[in-house]
Amino acid sequence: MTRNRIAQLAQKYMYHDMIGKHTELPDFPEARIRLLYSVLGHQPAASLNKELMALVASLVQMGLDTHDTVRNENAPSGEKSGILSMRAQQLKVLAGDFFSARFYQLLSQAGQIDAVRRMSEAVCEVNRVKMIFYTKMKQLKLNAEEYVQLSSEIRSGLFVAFTAFMQGLCERLWPEIVERFSRCEVLLKEIRQVEQTSDLESSWGVWHIMQEGSEEDRLALAQRQEDSSFIRHLLDKYHVPRSSAGC
């Protein structure tokens, strides 16, 4: 597979004028897709369909990730900006559904009905883990290790479904491989996020402080979760270095 081959194919199925004009999509999950493609290429029963499987995995993952970018928040002040913001949010929902519909279409046309079932089950499982994750976050009952573990499960959940198309050693090791690979992706994302001056309210460092911080600081953090400067102060206080979340 040439670099970005699957991304180029996926773009063909994801492209739509309205989506491109009014909303911003999440990053393409290239690393996990390339890993999947490589492993399937060494499986006799799956090698002929490795490009199709990598393509549909990318479409489903993009659908899931696009839905995750929808935010339930107040629209910006001003009639025009409020309408534009609402339109962008609505399009993100529709875009995620659009990408998922493409995956059904491609697998059905190829006669891969079992793959449709397995990926649909995987999507249900990913959404179940997300519910646990977001509920714990909202209730402030998440610790730092749970944050990394659940984030990794969410990233790897769809790809674990492809274990059914593998044999031998790969079949036994694939779930662990993709989970650990996803864990490194999560930690790399946290390294980059802690370097920023904004968007810190859902970072690993926050949950580290909620687990290890004093009662006073935990209460203050719970009340000021959207105050990036205050969060940065606490990250420094608890010696959360800019490269703390390494693989």
Side-chain angles (χ1 to χ4, degrees), residues 32-74:
R32 274 166 288 158
I33 294 299
R34 290 175 68 85
L35 176 65
L36 175 65
Y37 182 93
S38 178
V39 173
L40 288 179
H42 290 85
Q43 301 301 301
S47 60
L48 292 178
N49 292 313
K50 61 183 179 180
E51 189 169 276
L52 172 64
M53 294 302 179
L55 174 59
V56 295
S58 68
L59 292 173
V60 179
Q61 190 63 57
M62 284 296 291
L64 290 168
D65 293 346
T66 301
H67 280 160
D68 284 344
T69 65
V70 177
R71 296 288 179 261
N72 294 321
E73 56 189 18
N74 295 329

Side-chain angles (χ1 to χ4, degrees), residues 89-226:
Q89 296 300 308
Q90 291 172 337
L91 279 172
K92 286 177 181 178
V93 175
L94 294 174
D97 293 342
F98 178 63
F99 302 155
S100 295
R102 290 296 207 177
F103 117 75
Y104 281 110
Q105 178 188 26
L106 287 168
L107 288 179
S108 297
Q109 289 175 346
Q112 296 286 340
I113 306 304
D114 185 56
V116 172
R117 177 181 64 83
R118 292 185 182 280
M119 294 189 71
S120 298
E121 291 174 351
V123 169
C124 290
E125 177 61 17
V126 168
N127 286 331
R128 184 189 70 82
V129 176
K130 284 182 181 178
M131 288 297 294
I132 295 172
F133 183 58
Y134 295 135
T135 299
K136 282 179 171 283
M137 288 182 70
K138 186 174 182 180
Q139 296 175 346
L140 301 179
K141 293 181 178 179
L142 194 66
N143 63 45
E145 176 54 32
E146 285 177 327
Y147 174 83
V148 173
Q149 181 60 39
L150 291 173
S151 296
S152 301
E153 288 181 24
I154 290 169
R155 280 179 174 257
S156 64
L158 177 67
F159 294 83
V160 172
F162 289 92
T163 307
F165 303 98
M166 300 176 185
Q167 299 174 348
L169 185 62
C170 285
E171 181 182 11
R172 295 194 298 273
L173 295 181
W174 174 248
E176 182 179 358
I177 289 172
V178 74
E179 194 280 330
R180 293 196 177 194
F181 188 90
S182 297
R183 186 181 182 91
C184 283
E185 283 191 323
V186 169
L187 297 175
L188 180 59
K189 172 178 172 288
E190 292 303 315
I191 292 173
R192 292 169 176 168
Q193 188 168 357
V194 81
E195 294 280 355
Q196 300 174 2
T197 57
S198 60
D199 298 326
L200 295 172
E201 65 272 10
S202 61
S203 68
W204 175 88
V206 166
W207 305 106
H208 171 71
I209 294 167
M210 294 299 290
Q211 179 179 341
E212 303 293 339
S214 67
E215 182 177 359
E216 179 183 3
D217 286 337
R218 293 199 305 270
L219 288 173
L221 181 56
Q223 295 170 356
R224 300 174 64 178
Q225 279 189 293
E226 297 181 0

